[in-house]
Amino acid sequence: MDKIITMEQKIEQYKPLIKKLVIRISNKEYDLIKTNGQNGRVNIEDLKRVIDDYGCTIVSLPDKAFSIAEAYDITSENRIDIYLPLWTKEEGRSDLTLSLSCYNDNGVPKIEINDIRVL
């Protein structure tokens, strides 16, 4: 009998990478994000501009962030897309949302930013 895996279980392997990425964003380590290829299709200057224009201080994610996130299993492309609200020092949960693709590359979990926007 096949074992049924929930979306939460599928996302679990990406949580450490996502948390680390958000810490890098909060520390404004944009060059490191670009070096690691995690900016995906987002120009790193655009990422920086959107965050600066938002005007609040991004902070690390609380554990409840993942229960609020929207996740979609894109089985045809063997990836999961996650829409994750960011947290700020000033607001707590913000309207700034990070869109990520999560996938495995030769068994190694990877994440890439697809978009960041105010929703």
Side-chain angles (χ1 to χ4, degrees):
M1 179 181 277
D2 290 335
K3 181 179 178 183
I4 297 174
I5 299 173
T6 66
M7 183 64 80
E8 185 174 320
Q9 290 169 316
K10 289 181 181 183
I11 292 171
E12 194 64 35
Q13 67 179 316
Y14 301 106
K15 283 182 182 180
L17 292 172
I18 295 169
K19 287 181 176 186
K20 191 172 193 173
L21 175 63
V22 172
I23 289 170
R24 287 185 175 146
I25 290 170
S26 71
N27 290 335
K28 301 184 184 292
E29 297 173 341
Y30 301 114
D31 289 339
L32 190 53
I33 293 168
K34 184 177 180 180
T35 299
N36 290 336
Q38 292 178 316
N39 57 302
R41 57 181 129 176
V42 174
N43 179 294
I44 205 68
E45 292 302 319
D46 290 341
L47 177 68
K48 181 181 181 202
R49 180 188 46 78
V50 169
I51 292 168
D52 288 346
D53 287 352
Y54 192 73
C56 292
T57 309
I58 305 296
V59 296
S60 60
L61 294 173
D63 288 334
K64 69 180 176 181
F66 292 96
S67 64
I68 295 168
E70 293 180 28
Y72 301 92
D73 195 351
I74 315 297
T75 53
S76 63
E77 296 182 25
N78 202 24
R79 74 170 200 265
I80 298 170
D81 284 356
I82 299 175
Y83 297 87
L84 180 70
L86 295 176
W87 262 250
T88 67
K89 184 170 118 179
E90 297 82 4
E91 306 171 299
R93 179 183 174 182
S94 75
D95 293 330
L96 194 59
T97 301
L98 190 61
S99 170
L100 301 167
S101 282
C102 306
Y103 59 95
N104 278 290
D105 183 13
N106 292 321
V108 178
K110 303 270 186 173
I111 59 170
E112 290 181 359
I113 300 171
N114 290 328
D115 200 2
I116 185 166
R117 68 173 67 180
V118 177
L119 296 181

